[in-house]
Amino acid sequence: MKIAAFQHSDGESLGFFEPFLAERDIPFEYIRLYETNEVPETDATHFMFLGGPMSVNDEQEYPYLKEEKECIRVAVRKERRILGICLGAQLIASAFGADVYPCLQETGWHPIRHEPGQESVFAQFPDPFFAFQLHGETFEIPPGGRLLCSGTNVANQAFLFGSALGLQFHLELTGGILRDWSRELKHSDQEKILRDSPGYLAESNRLCHLLAEDFTSH
């Protein structure tokens, strides 16, 4: 097993996934698209597409987005495991013909519910659970995909398409990531996030551990 993490900015990392993978001696590599501007060949068996500041529709400005979508389509045809987070989830949706478009911007910790009758890793999660959100776009579910989790303000929060799981929210957060991301926000949002996070972060790490176990067990 080897994991390739497609990174769109230096501020969007694997976060809590890194110590999980290191403890289990699971090799991983970052593909730093913000430096190389191209998708290289890789011998990875599992793929993670991380967040980023751009839109999946910005293919003219960031041509590697088109390459990533083709990489996702090929990986799904080969039944390789894929996990997309925020922008990564939007890439999966767009790769299979679903629209990605601006929405009400969500910042901070929000409740997320399981969709009834859908079997997935989220069956191990509380209902609802709280996860961190930082995004201004959302996605439709691609034809043939299954909605797994939904939110109050932004409906589509997690979906499965073949071997690809997309999450609009962030479970990979660490305290350091939260502090870094908060610096770019307006003061009132910074205060709220730093006030709320101690009550949510440990549980978010626990849920990320469950997600990582599920992702690497196949």
Side-chain angles (χ1 to χ4, degrees), residues 9-64:
S9 73
D10 59 0
E12 301 263 2
S13 70
L14 286 169
F16 189 79
F17 286 103
E18 279 201 23
F20 175 92
L21 298 174
E23 288 169 6
R24 287 154 182 78
D25 293 322
I26 298 174
F28 65 91
E29 64 176 346
Y30 279 108
I31 295 176
R32 294 182 171 87
L33 297 163
Y34 60 93
E35 294 179 348
T36 65
N37 291 307
E38 63 180 5
V39 175
E41 291 188 9
T42 175
D43 59 353
T45 59
H46 292 54
F47 300 85
M48 296 180 68
F49 293 84
L50 305 177
M54 67 286 292
S55 167
V56 300
N57 300 312
D58 293 340
E59 291 182 0
Q60 187 169 355
E61 185 176 357
Y62 304 99
Y64 58 76

Side-chain angles (χ1 to χ4, degrees), residues 79-163:
E79 299 184 340
R80 301 287 178 82
R81 290 300 299 275
I82 299 174
L83 177 61
I85 299 172
C86 200
L87 176 70
Q90 296 163 9
L91 281 166
I92 295 168
S94 180
F96 294 102
D99 289 336
V100 177
Y101 50 90
C103 67
L104 176 69
Q105 183 165 353
E106 286 196 316
T107 303
W109 298 90
H110 293 269
I112 297 171
R113 290 194 173 275
H114 313 170
E115 286 296 297
Q118 296 293 337
E119 293 185 8
S120 72
V121 64
F122 299 110
Q124 303 175 63
F125 284 34
D127 190 17
F129 62 94
F130 280 79
F132 191 82
Q133 308 262 14
L134 184 61
H135 61 87
E137 291 195 321
T138 188
F139 50 82
E140 297 295 333
I141 304 300
R146 289 194 291 126
L147 179 65
L148 300 180
C149 294
S150 58
T152 302
N153 297 322
V154 177
N156 296 335
Q157 289 290 338
F159 73 100
L160 188 68
F161 186 95
S163 58

Side-chain angles (χ1 to χ4, degrees), residues 158-179:
F159 73 100
L160 188 68
F161 186 95
S163 58
L165 175 64
L167 313 180
Q168 181 64 76
F169 48 89
H170 296 271
L171 292 178
E172 77 281 10
L173 295 179
T174 63
I177 291 174
L178 273 172
R179 287 189 293 273

